[in-house]
Amino acid sequence: MIVILKQNTTEAQLNNFTGWLASQGLDVHISRGSYETVIGLIGDTSKVDEELVKSLEMVESVRRISDPFKSANRKFHPDDSVVKVDAEGKVAFGGGRFGVIAGPCSVETKEQIISVAGDVKKAGAVMLRGGAFKPRTSPYDFQGLGAEGIRLLLEAKKETGLPIITEILSITHIELFEDIDVIQVGARNMQNFELLKELGRLKKTILLKRGLANTLKELLMSAEYIMSGGNENVILCERGIRTFDNTYTRNTLDLSAVPVLKELTHLPVIVDPSHAVGSSKYVESMALAAVAAGADGIMTEVHNDPLKALCDGAQSLTPEQFDRMMSKINMVRQAVAK
Amino acid sequence: MIVILKQNTTEAQLNNFTGWLASQGLDVHISRGSYETVIGLIGDTSKVDEELVKSLEMVESVRRISDPFKSANRKFHPDDSVVKVDAEGKVAFGGGRFGVIAGPCSVETKEQIISVAGDVKKAGAVMLRGGAFKPRTSPYDFQGLGAEGIRLLLEAKKETGLPIITEILSITHIELFEDIDVIQVGARNMQNFELLKELGRLKKTILLKRGLANTLKELLMSAEYIMSGGNENVILCERGIRTFDNTYTRNTLDLSAVPVLKELTHLPVIVDPSHAVGSSKYVESMALAAVAAGADGIMTEVHNDPLKALCDGAQSLTPEQFDRMMSKINMVRQAVAK
Amino acid sequence: MIVILKQNTTEAQLNNFTGWLASQGLDVHISRGSYETVIGLIGDTSKVDEELVKSLEMVESVRRISDPFKSANRKFHPDDSVVKVDAEGKVAFGGGRFGVIAGPCSVETKEQIISVAGDVKKAGAVMLRGGAFKPRTSPYDFQGLGAEGIRLLLEAKKETGLPIITEILSITHIELFEDIDVIQVGARNMQNFELLKELGRLKKTILLKRGLANTLKELLMSAEYIMSGGNENVILCERGIRTFDNTYTRNTLDLSAVPVLKELTHLPVIVDPSHAVGSSKYVESMALAAVAAGADGIMTEVHNDPLKALCDGAQSLTPEQFDRMMSKINMVRQAVAK
Amino acid sequence: MIVILKQNTTEAQLNNFTGWLASQGLDVHISRGSYETVIGLIGDTSKVDEELVKSLEMVESVRRISDPFKSANRKFHPDDSVVKVDAEGKVAFGGGRFGVIAGPCSVETKEQIISVAGDVKKAGAVMLRGGAFKPRTSPYDFQGLGAEGIRLLLEAKKETGLPIITEILSITHIELFEDIDVIQVGARNMQNFELLKELGRLKKTILLKRGLANTLKELLMSAEYIMSGGNENVILCERGIRTFDNTYTRNTLDLSAVPVLKELTHLPVIVDPSHAVGSSKYVESMALAAVAAGADGIMTEVHNDPLKALCDGAQSLTPEQFDRMMSKINMVRQAVAK
């Protein structure tokens, strides 16, 4: 950690500060310039509270040199992690293992979920997604079927053999997720630290979505909450960020997050184009772009909702569109793998 | 609600759509232009799922005319709400009632919290703030004293008579907050909807902070989660948003949120400059600006932490700086009230 | 154009407003709701100043239904434009014509530019880029060779036959660009409207880069400045936008801009990954992603700068890295074209 | 300047790099950590191209310690600059000199501009603003009266004695501004470096507005372009930035820019609330907030446009609203000055 002090820092302030650092077991290396003084901290700085140091009046800025994430850090774990969804690893992500997760936005009826599950399985999806608990901006919007939705997802699993992923909204629901294969933490809960800590105590695979306004470093720190609790089965997911231009697309899909994350961490990185763009017509091109960028998987919405089918299209793809996209995904995978 | 359809929408699609709307009890008014068709929905549109409609392929855009928030909406409640902190309303916000909330970032020791409480009370603060459960980006950073922190806050209340506000991080901690006067929902939990629903079942006053990347409409919808559950004692708080330039300040304080919110809602609006700017040297000017902008209160950090005092300054103000700021706040209040 | 009026608009205000609209040759269609009044404007609304209408106190919001761009609008020109770089169209973009533009960030010496030109031609680039006039944040940074840089680019053209693209910074330099094949308008000048008007009077192809904080609609309006002047040879370029997280990459490449623009306009859309990510290690994956997303071309930096070569890497690719990327680009093109 | 190298940097790369630095007259101070190597550059680093260094593969990050701006830097010029508008300094900004600039968005007729000039003078404005050349997103929108607008502004000056400020859009118009007192560089031209260089050759006062997506450091670097050319009469202006929530306001007014800029530079800082909020109803509260934050001046729109008056309100204030605001501004000035 490097701390840059202001020009007008007094000798007394400097001594107080280095004394405090010493009391934390840290050596310092001081370089004085004409306008600033630079202090290099030597020793285990992972326990130093960066915010606290930055808040000191005499401090101009702080630069952490070692990344604050450890378990997720590729520096300490150079090989890709292969995160398994089932015990035998029939379905897995990372280290060359790629897969597509698909399903409806919300679970609605038994017929719907089993029908979509059958369709996406046939097209090559390796896992079924479907919302049981839905985070909605408005309390007046449909909040999902809840526990009943989870029951229907498990029926679809029994029927098709596809493992299941669904989103958790509250620490108090954890036991309902016992038979779910992968628990999804949505964008809005990426920094619900108490929930992350609890998920760190499980053995289950966690899919952690990037928050709408969270940096990649914060995403990795949230993964760290889960991993430092003992659960290293974490898959990261880019799903679009909030920017000044969310007119034609709901959010802005940040695909450079894929190569950046894969450099910083050994964890698998997948992409959800459906939520990022919010309109089915852009999903295929963004899914292909994500595969070309090196993503370890794609998660997308597929529906067979009568109203949507009626009106010809939606944020979700139809099973036919999904099938066509799967063929193209396979071709792009082959092109970039060469 | 106005729905604009695309140029190439077929008659059959249009009929299917209006049929679906009719099944929800809505009349429609259709205007056909040369390039688009505009449908006006007549009836109670509050139950119509805007996202669902927007996701239809034939829909170019959707414009909700009635605001989606009701309980918080000034249109249905033209007078300012006065939100009381205690039963008699000795401390209250809104409708001309203004107050300053102050205290340390984290509760650390009994001596610290009682000493700061005494200082801020003397300078004119009406409520004591202090973090017991701290949301931290890194699992390796100090997470607060937890239940013990709450106990110490209650001791400070006994000592000074100041009501207490502190942040909640998890639905599972609610019972610990029984004797706390105001429960704070932090920026990261603004869309933790399960928590908001639970707080809606309490009678206690809730301070709801705007999320780092949340729109004002989303803030009001989150207030709506609490209010629609039956708890109308909500205070809103602007605390800075994330933008492209967070170099010199931690976030960007959005002060136009104050007049905009006060136009949209009857709820009180306060401002927390400390977290927005992240550096004590900018706190006073931003606090005064917030008062000039019409805020119903200010929440700020004041410390007597030895290290910070030692190093002369921090994100928090010293008691002396706070005292000086209070005098200026009073003068600006008088200037704008005239 | 739809104008939504506020609840408290008086009959007199409404009459004044519709009278003013009538004086501009517009009919109106008025729908009164319980909380708002909606006015539909019928006739040629392209001359109505949206900002002016929006600024009226009685107006709650304005929604332009017809897009404000015409020449660039795909609605009036359904087929892709094929924009030619040379008279015969040996090099062209759009409508199935794809190409890669490459070259150094800055032109430095005759040897450098001719050597890089030869390298990129061999690898399959169809045009040479190189900065002669450089827009630099600091007046103390290298500002490019200027007119001499242009002369060197033309020598490289003579040597290799590659057409040339280079950036213009000022209206006063236009005559220096007489023999340049494509004039580039950089991100910082996307809304330098006087420059755009002047370029609209030329016959030369213009590459228009999206500004760092400009919406896609603004990009199209800037293209409209050039096209409405009579020059329809415009190529659009996505090159990354400014967001809250520009830590690991210089900007955030917005690849969904590709399918969105291709839906809105008939103009070709290319992508510059080098400036967006700012580091050569992410260029290849983003170039491949752009191709998979449907871009009509890629523009990238390639160097043979001794310092950079020395230090092994840079924002620019080495000729070897570029050659390898070209092979992969071709494979992804084939995969998505199927 | 501190350069942090990556873990895997070889000795040979390091030697090449330090050799290159030495060739630029810089000494280096190297500290090796277990994961990174930190190089401190000693000497005059103002000529070192930060982008170039950052682009090297072996470089993890670069931190400039000395600010890259010099003429504008408060470190080298601790006292506030007082920037005079006229030779005798009857109107001036900075160092305790405060003033309000007002006038219509666009100059339309002689009657209009003289009437508004009279109104704002009476209410206490010290300078008249009015657009002659208007930067418009659409080529089909009104572009201002141009040279005729400037002529009308000068008539209003003759009539009222108020000095004049108006915006320049092109380097080719400079001679038209000969009798104008202050030339405004608008947000879209903040990084039109060729224009800035040209303005640096004048003796006239320049008002430099912050770009919609420009950092405060970039604003200071643009001031540096003007100042390094020899013209030190620069006034900075905050006018709102682009963020994810520009629903109710056109942009987000960043008032913490005021104390931050006043710490970094000796130049005066004024605030334009009209353009930031885009609606007259929020102008007064934001103007008062800006004054409370310590701004050296306010620039605001005042109209007497018949349509706007007709419709009761606009982005611009009416003369009556302006008069009322002026009284409150004076009271807040007194409150914060105490």
Side-chain angles (χ1 to χ4, degrees):
Chain A
M1 188 180 271
I2 287 177
V3 180
I4 296 160
L5 301 184
K6 288 189 195 140
Q7 192 177 358
N8 55 0
T9 304
T10 64
E11 206 60 26
Q13 285 177 316
L14 181 59
N15 289 340
N16 280 329
F17 183 52
T18 56
W20 178 75
L21 291 168
S23 77
Q24 307 216 356
L26 293 163
D27 275 344
V28 296
H29 176 283
I30 302 180
S31 326
R32 286 162 203 278
S34 20
Y35 290 108
E36 284 93 355
T37 298
V38 178
I39 304 184
L41 274 57
I42 299 158
D44 179 9
T45 61
S46 70
K47 306 283 172 46
V48 177
D49 193 328
E50 190 177 341
E51 284 292 307
L52 175 68
V53 175
K54 202 181 279 173
S55 75
L56 300 174
E57 173 61 19
M58 66 180 185
V59 170
E60 179 151 321
S61 66
V62 176
R63 172 83 178 76
R64 197 180 269 281
I65 309 235
S66 336
D67 296 315
F69 46 96
K70 295 168 174 288
S71 311
N73 200 328
R74 191 179 279 278
K75 282 186 188 152
F76 311 121
H77 186 311
D79 294 331
D80 285 353
S81 280
V82 180
V83 173
K84 296 176 185 171
V85 163
D86 53 306
E88 316 91 88
K90 281 187 292 185
V91 176
F93 295 87
R97 300 292 301 273
F98 174 92
V100 175
I101 304 167
C105 179
S106 298
V107 182
E108 288 164 27
T109 63
K110 182 173 166 183
E111 293 64 38
Q112 171 234 24
I113 192 67
I114 288 180
S115 156
V116 174
D119 287 338
V120 303
K121 186 184 181 184
K122 219 172 72 185
V126 299
M127 189 161 17
L128 178 67
R129 55 146 291 155
F133 293 94
K134 303 291 302 170
R136 301 305 305 267
T137 302
S138 166
Y140 309 118
D141 284 345
F142 175 55
Q143 311 269 323
L145 294 182
E148 170 65 5
I150 289 190
R151 205 184 57 71
L152 296 178
L153 283 166
L154 294 174
E155 288 212 36
K157 178 181 181 177
K158 201 158 64 184
E159 200 76 29
T160 60
L162 285 178
I164 301 294
I165 176 171
T166 193
E167 181 170 357
I168 193 164
L169 292 190
S170 172
I171 218 167
T172 59
H173 298 157
I174 283 184
E175 60 193 25
L176 292 170
F177 286 70
E178 194 172 347
D179 297 323
I180 293 298
D181 301 278
V182 180
I183 299 181
Q184 175 181 318
V185 177
R188 290 179 184 78
N189 280 307
M190 194 202 89
Q191 292 197 318
N192 183 337
F193 301 123
E194 297 300 314
L195 175 61
L196 300 179
K197 285 179 195 170
E198 208 59 36
L199 298 176
R201 295 191 187 101
L202 306 181
K203 291 282 150 261
K204 216 175 272 299
T205 296
I206 309 299
L207 182 98
L208 180 64
K209 286 194 157 186
R210 180 183 184 184
L212 276 168
N214 286 109
T215 63
L216 296 179
K217 197 180 279 182
E218 288 169 343
L219 173 60
L220 291 170
M221 292 313 298
S222 286
E224 201 75 19
Y225 262 97
I226 301 169
M227 297 174 87
S228 68
N231 182 356
E232 304 224 322
N233 304 305
V234 177
I235 301 170
L236 305 174
C237 181
E238 161 63 29
R239 48 78 71 220
I241 57 173
R242 208 159 244 192
T243 67
F244 63 86
D245 191 14
N246 296 142
T247 315
Y248 297 105
T249 54
R250 189 187 304 153
N251 297 120
T252 300
L253 189 63
D254 174 13
L255 282 179
S256 62
V258 176
V260 172
L261 284 172
K262 292 188 78 68
E263 185 189 28
L264 296 172
T265 183
H266 52 90
L267 296 175
V269 179
I270 75 167
V271 172
D272 173 352
S274 298
H275 283 83
V277 299
S279 170
S280 66
K281 62 191 164 188
Y282 308 132
V283 168
E284 182 185 291
S285 59
M286 287 301 99
L288 298 178
V291 173
D296 295 306
I298 298 292
M299 180 150 81
T300 187
E301 290 190 4
V302 173
H303 71 86
N304 69 347
D305 174 330
L307 166 67
K308 291 183 183 176
L310 198 72
C311 299
D312 183 26
Q315 167 177 310
S316 305
L317 303 171
T318 60
E320 296 69 37
Q321 290 170 326
F322 179 68
D323 191 54
R324 197 165 55 237
M325 183 179 84
M326 285 298 290
S327 313
K328 291 198 181 177
I329 282 178
N330 287 331
M331 285 189 288
V332 173
R333 278 277 295 161
Q334 285 168 30
V336 295
K338 272 169 198 165
Chain B
M1 188 180 273
I2 286 176
V3 179
I4 296 160
L5 301 184
K6 288 190 195 138
Q7 190 177 1
N8 56 359
T9 303
T10 65
E11 206 58 27
Q13 285 177 316
L14 181 57
N15 289 340
N16 280 329
F17 183 52
T18 56
W20 178 75
L21 291 168
S23 78
Q24 307 216 354
L26 292 163
D27 276 343
V28 295
H29 176 283
I30 301 181
S31 326
R32 284 163 206 279
S34 21
Y35 290 108
E36 284 92 355
T37 298
V38 178
I39 303 184
L41 274 56
I42 300 159
D44 178 8
T45 61
S46 71
K47 305 282 171 46
V48 178
D49 192 326
E50 189 178 342
E51 284 291 306
L52 176 67
V53 175
K54 202 181 277 172
S55 76
L56 300 174
E57 173 61 20
M58 64 180 187
V59 170
E60 180 151 319
S61 65
V62 176
R63 173 80 179 80
R64 198 181 269 282
I65 309 235
S66 337
D67 296 315
F69 45 96
K70 294 169 175 288
S71 311
N73 200 328
R74 190 179 279 276
K75 282 186 187 150
F76 310 121
H77 187 310
D79 293 332
D80 284 353
S81 280
V82 180
V83 174
K84 295 176 187 170
V85 163
D86 53 306
E88 316 90 90
K90 280 187 293 185
V91 176
F93 295 87
R97 300 292 301 271
F98 174 92
V100 175
I101 305 167
C105 179
S106 299
V107 182
E108 286 164 28
T109 62
K110 183 173 165 182
E111 292 65 36
Q112 171 234 23
I113 192 67
I114 288 180
S115 155
V116 174
D119 286 338
V120 302
K121 186 184 181 183
K122 218 173 71 187
V126 299
M127 188 161 16
L128 178 68
R129 55 146 292 155
F133 294 94
K134 302 291 301 170
R136 302 304 306 266
T137 303
S138 166
Y140 310 118
D141 285 345
F142 175 56
Q143 311 270 322
L145 294 182
E148 170 65 6
I150 290 190
R151 207 185 55 73
L152 295 178
L153 282 166
L154 295 174
E155 289 212 35
K157 178 181 181 176
K158 202 158 62 183
E159 201 75 29
T160 60
L162 285 178
I164 301 294
I165 176 171
T166 192
E167 181 170 357
I168 192 164
L169 292 190
S170 172
I171 217 168
T172 59
H173 297 158
I174 283 184
E175 59 193 26
L176 291 171
F177 287 70
E178 196 171 346
D179 298 322
I180 292 299
D181 300 277
V182 179
I183 299 181
Q184 174 180 321
V185 177
R188 290 179 184 77
N189 280 307
M190 193 202 91
Q191 292 198 318
N192 183 338
F193 302 122
E194 298 298 315
L195 176 61
L196 299 179
K197 285 179 195 171
E198 209 58 38
L199 298 176
R201 296 192 187 99
L202 306 182
K203 291 283 150 261
K204 214 175 274 298
T205 295
I206 309 299
L207 182 98
L208 180 64
K209 286 194 158 186
R210 180 183 185 184
L212 274 169
N214 286 109
T215 64
L216 296 179
K217 196 179 279 181
E218 288 168 342
L219 174 61
L220 291 170
M221 292 312 299
S222 286
E224 200 75 17
Y225 262 97
I226 301 169
M227 297 174 87
S228 67
N231 182 356
E232 305 223 323
N233 303 306
V234 178
I235 301 170
L236 305 174
C237 181
E238 160 64 27
R239 48 77 71 221
I241 58 173
R242 208 159 243 193
T243 68
F244 63 85
D245 191 14
N246 296 143
T247 316
Y248 297 105
T249 53
R250 191 188 301 154
N251 298 121
T252 300
L253 189 64
D254 175 14
L255 283 179
S256 62
V258 176
V260 172
L261 283 172
K262 292 188 78 70
E263 185 188 28
L264 296 172
T265 184
H266 52 89
L267 296 174
V269 180
I270 74 166
V271 172
D272 172 352
S274 297
H275 283 82
V277 299
S279 171
S280 66
K281 62 191 164 188
Y282 308 132
V283 168
E284 181 184 292
S285 59
M286 287 301 98
L288 298 178
V291 173
D296 295 306
I298 297 291
M299 179 150 82
T300 188
E301 289 190 4
V302 173
H303 72 85
N304 70 345
D305 175 329
L307 166 66
K308 292 184 182 174
L310 199 70
C311 299
D312 183 25
Q315 166 177 310
S316 306
L317 303 171
T318 60
E320 296 69 36
Q321 291 170 324
F322 179 68
D323 191 54
R324 197 164 56 235
M325 183 179 84
M326 285 299 289
S327 315
K328 291 199 179 177
I329 283 178
N330 288 332
M331 285 188 289
V332 173
R333 280 276 296 160
Q334 285 168 29
V336 294
K338 273 170 196 165
Chain C
M1 189 181 271
I2 287 176
V3 179
I4 297 160
L5 301 183
K6 289 190 194 140
Q7 193 177 358
N8 56 1
T9 303
T10 64
E11 205 59 27
Q13 286 178 314
L14 181 57
N15 289 340
N16 279 330
F17 182 51
T18 56
W20 178 75
L21 290 169
S23 77
Q24 308 216 354
L26 293 163
D27 276 345
V28 297
H29 176 283
I30 301 181
S31 324
R32 287 163 202 280
S34 21
Y35 289 108
E36 283 93 355
T37 298
V38 178
I39 303 185
L41 274 56
I42 299 159
D44 178 9
T45 60
S46 70
K47 306 282 171 45
V48 178
D49 192 329
E50 189 177 342
E51 284 293 307
L52 176 67
V53 175
K54 202 181 279 173
S55 74
L56 301 174
E57 173 61 21
M58 66 182 187
V59 170
E60 178 149 323
S61 65
V62 176
R63 173 80 179 76
R64 199 181 268 283
I65 309 238
S66 336
D67 296 315
F69 46 97
K70 294 170 174 287
S71 311
N73 200 327
R74 191 180 278 278
K75 282 185 187 151
F76 311 121
H77 187 312
D79 293 332
D80 283 354
S81 281
V82 180
V83 174
K84 294 175 186 171
V85 163
D86 52 306
E88 315 91 90
K90 280 188 293 187
V91 175
F93 294 87
R97 301 291 302 272
F98 174 92
V100 175
I101 304 167
C105 179
S106 300
V107 182
E108 287 164 28
T109 63
K110 182 173 164 183
E111 293 64 39
Q112 171 234 23
I113 191 67
I114 288 179
S115 155
V116 174
D119 286 339
V120 302
K121 187 183 180 183
K122 219 172 72 187
V126 299
M127 189 161 17
L128 178 67
R129 54 146 292 153
F133 293 94
K134 303 291 302 171
R136 302 304 306 267
T137 302
S138 166
Y140 310 118
D141 284 345
F142 175 56
Q143 310 268 323
L145 294 182
E148 171 66 5
I150 289 191
R151 206 184 57 71
L152 295 178
L153 283 166
L154 294 174
E155 288 212 38
K157 179 181 179 177
K158 201 157 65 184
E159 200 75 31
T160 60
L162 285 178
I164 301 294
I165 177 171
T166 192
E167 181 170 358
I168 193 164
L169 291 190
S170 172
I171 218 169
T172 60
H173 297 159
I174 283 185
E175 60 192 27
L176 292 170
F177 286 70
E178 196 173 344
D179 297 322
I180 292 298
D181 300 278
V182 179
I183 300 181
Q184 175 180 320
V185 177
R188 289 179 184 79
N189 280 306
M190 194 202 90
Q191 292 197 318
N192 183 338
F193 301 123
E194 298 298 315
L195 176 61
L196 299 179
K197 285 179 195 171
E198 208 57 38
L199 297 176
R201 296 191 186 100
L202 306 182
K203 291 282 150 263
K204 218 175 269 300
T205 296
I206 309 299
L207 182 99
L208 181 64
K209 285 193 157 185
R210 180 184 185 182
L212 276 168
N214 286 110
T215 64
L216 296 179
K217 196 179 280 179
E218 288 169 342
L219 174 60
L220 291 169
M221 292 313 298
S222 286
E224 201 74 18
Y225 262 96
I226 301 170
M227 297 174 86
S228 67
N231 183 356
E232 304 223 324
N233 304 306
V234 178
I235 302 170
L236 305 174
C237 181
E238 161 64 27
R239 49 76 73 220
I241 57 173
R242 208 159 244 192
T243 67
F244 62 85
D245 190 14
N246 297 142
T247 316
Y248 296 106
T249 54
R250 189 187 302 153
N251 298 122
T252 300
L253 189 63
D254 174 13
L255 282 178
S256 62
V258 176
V260 172
L261 284 173
K262 293 188 80 65
E263 186 189 27
L264 296 172
T265 183
H266 52 89
L267 296 174
V269 180
I270 74 166
V271 171
D272 173 352
S274 297
H275 283 83
V277 299
S279 169
S280 66
K281 63 192 165 187
Y282 308 132
V283 168
E284 182 184 293
S285 60
M286 287 301 99
L288 298 178
V291 173
D296 295 305
I298 297 291
M299 181 150 81
T300 187
E301 290 190 5
V302 174
H303 71 86
N304 69 346
D305 174 329
L307 166 66
K308 292 183 181 175
L310 199 73
C311 298
D312 183 25
Q315 168 177 308
S316 306
L317 303 171
T318 61
E320 296 68 39
Q321 290 170 325
F322 179 68
D323 191 56
R324 197 164 56 236
M325 184 179 82
M326 285 299 289
S327 315
K328 291 199 181 177
I329 282 178
N330 288 332
M331 285 188 288
V332 173
R333 280 275 297 160
Q334 286 167 31
V336 295
K338 273 169 198 166
Chain D
M1 187 181 272
I2 287 176
V3 179
I4 296 159
L5 302 184
K6 288 186 194 143
Q7 190 176 1
N8 56 0
T9 304
T10 64
E11 206 58 28
Q13 286 178 315
L14 181 58
N15 289 341
N16 281 328
F17 183 51
T18 55
W20 178 75
L21 291 169
S23 76
Q24 307 217 355
L26 293 163
D27 276 345
V28 297
H29 177 282
I30 301 180
S31 325
R32 286 161 204 280
S34 21
Y35 290 108
E36 283 94 354
T37 298
V38 179
I39 304 185
L41 274 55
I42 300 159
D44 178 9
T45 61
S46 70
K47 305 283 171 45
V48 177
D49 192 328
E50 189 176 343
E51 284 292 306
L52 176 68
V53 174
K54 203 182 277 173
S55 75
L56 300 174
E57 173 61 21
M58 65 181 186
V59 170
E60 180 151 321
S61 65
V62 176
R63 173 81 179 77
R64 200 181 267 283
I65 308 236
S66 336
D67 296 315
F69 45 98
K70 293 169 173 290
S71 311
N73 200 329
R74 191 179 279 279
K75 282 185 187 152
F76 311 121
H77 187 311
D79 293 331
D80 284 353
S81 280
V82 180
V83 174
K84 295 174 185 171
V85 163
D86 53 306
E88 316 90 89
K90 280 187 292 187
V91 176
F93 294 86
R97 300 293 301 272
F98 175 92
V100 175
I101 304 167
C105 180
S106 299
V107 182
E108 287 163 28
T109 63
K110 183 173 164 181
E111 293 64 37
Q112 170 233 24
I113 191 67
I114 287 180
S115 155
V116 175
D119 286 340
V120 303
K121 186 184 180 183
K122 218 172 73 186
V126 298
M127 190 162 17
L128 178 68
R129 55 146 290 153
F133 294 94
K134 303 291 301 171
R136 301 305 305 268
T137 302
S138 166
Y140 309 118
D141 284 346
F142 176 55
Q143 310 270 322
L145 294 182
E148 170 64 7
I150 289 190
R151 206 183 56 72
L152 296 177
L153 283 166
L154 294 175
E155 288 212 35
K157 178 180 180 177
K158 201 156 65 184
E159 201 75 31
T160 60
L162 285 178
I164 301 294
I165 176 171
T166 192
E167 181 171 356
I168 193 164
L169 292 190
S170 173
I171 216 168
T172 60
H173 297 159
I174 283 184
E175 59 193 26
L176 292 169
F177 286 70
E178 196 172 345
D179 297 323
I180 292 299
D181 301 277
V182 179
I183 300 181
Q184 174 180 319
V185 177
R188 290 179 184 79
N189 280 307
M190 194 201 90
Q191 292 197 319
N192 184 338
F193 301 122
E194 298 298 314
L195 176 61
L196 299 179
K197 284 179 195 170
E198 209 57 38
L199 298 176
R201 295 192 187 101
L202 305 180
K203 291 283 150 260
K204 217 176 268 302
T205 295
I206 308 300
L207 182 99
L208 181 64
K209 285 192 158 187
R210 180 183 184 184
L212 275 168
N214 286 109
T215 63
L216 296 179
K217 197 179 280 181
E218 287 169 343
L219 173 60
L220 291 170
M221 291 313 299
S222 286
E224 200 74 19
Y225 262 97
I226 301 169
M227 298 174 86
S228 67
N231 183 355
E232 305 224 323
N233 303 306
V234 178
I235 301 170
L236 305 174
C237 180
E238 161 63 27
R239 48 78 71 221
I241 57 172
R242 209 159 242 191
T243 67
F244 63 85
D245 191 14
N246 296 144
T247 315
Y248 297 106
T249 53
R250 189 188 301 153
N251 298 121
T252 300
L253 189 64
D254 175 14
L255 282 179
S256 62
V258 176
V260 173
L261 284 173
K262 292 187 81 66
E263 186 189 28
L264 296 172
T265 183
H266 52 90
L267 297 174
V269 179
I270 75 166
V271 171
D272 173 351
S274 297
H275 283 84
V277 299
S279 171
S280 65
K281 63 191 163 188
Y282 308 132
V283 168
E284 182 183 291
S285 59
M286 287 302 99
L288 298 178
V291 173
D296 295 306
I298 297 292
M299 180 149 83
T300 187
E301 290 190 4
V302 173
H303 71 84
N304 70 344
D305 174 329
L307 166 67
K308 291 184 182 175
L310 200 72
C311 298
D312 181 25
Q315 166 177 310
S316 305
L317 303 171
T318 60
E320 296 69 37
Q321 290 170 326
F322 179 68
D323 191 55
R324 195 164 58 235
M325 185 179 83
M326 285 299 290
S327 316
K328 291 200 180 175
I329 283 179
N330 288 332
M331 285 189 289
V332 173
R333 279 274 296 161
Q334 285 167 31
V336 294
K338 272 169 199 166

